[in-house]
């Protein structure tokens, strides 16, 4: 399991090196809402699994966090099952 307080910067470095990465599974890694700022660098993602983490969306709202992922144009699937306090998500 990753400790994202310590490895947050490492994810940004990986995104700069893994330009063609299409599937990223970060399920059950104790990720919190700050993960969204690190993920936007993975520009070729098609599938992102954040299931079983500690996402709350409480500070600025999960919708705005997810909208930051619009920079990833090919992203098709985002899995958010079993996260704290996420009831529903609206996309426009």
């Amino acid at each position: 399991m990753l400790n994202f307080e310590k490895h947050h910067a490492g994810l940004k470095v990986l995104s700069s090196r893994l330009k063609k990465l299409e599937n990223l599974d970060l399920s059950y890694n104790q990720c919190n809402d700050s993960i969204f700022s690190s993920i936007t660098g993975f520009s070729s993602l098609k599938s992102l699994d954040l299931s079983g983490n500690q996402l709350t969306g409480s500070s600025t709202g999960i919708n705005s966090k997810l909208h930051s992922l619009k920079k990833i144009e090919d992203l098709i699937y985002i899995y958010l099952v079993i996260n704290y306090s996420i009831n529903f998500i609206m996309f426009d």
Side-chain angles (χ1 to χ4, degrees):
M1 246 191 287
L2 294 175
N3 179 337
F4 271 87
E5 298 303 318
K6 294 180 181 178
H7 295 96
H8 200 286
L11 199 55
K12 288 185 178 184
V13 171
L14 279 177
S15 70
S16 68
R17 295 181 182 179
L18 299 174
K19 301 274 187 200
K20 296 183 180 183
L21 184 70
E22 292 185 354
N23 301 302
L24 181 58
D25 184 345
L26 294 172
S27 59
Y28 299 93
N29 275 292
Q30 300 176 352
C31 301
N32 59 31
D33 292 354
S34 66
I35 189 66
F36 291 101
S37 63
S38 298
I39 293 173
T40 56
F42 291 97
S43 57
S44 297
L45 277 185
K46 292 183 180 180
S47 172
L48 173 62
D49 189 345
L50 293 172
S51 302
N53 284 292
Q54 299 172 9
L55 306 177
T56 63
S58 59
S59 59
T60 59
I62 194 70
N63 286 336
S64 64
K65 300 284 186 185
L66 288 173
H67 284 291
S68 70
L69 298 179
K70 284 186 174 182
K71 296 176 184 174
I72 307 174
E73 295 177 7
D74 294 333
L75 189 59
I76 300 169
Y77 300 106
I78 304 173
Y79 303 98
L80 295 169
V81 178
I82 311 174
N83 276 286
Y84 299 112
S85 302
I86 296 178
N87 295 323
F88 66 92
I89 298 167
M90 295 178 63
F91 294 98
D92 53 342

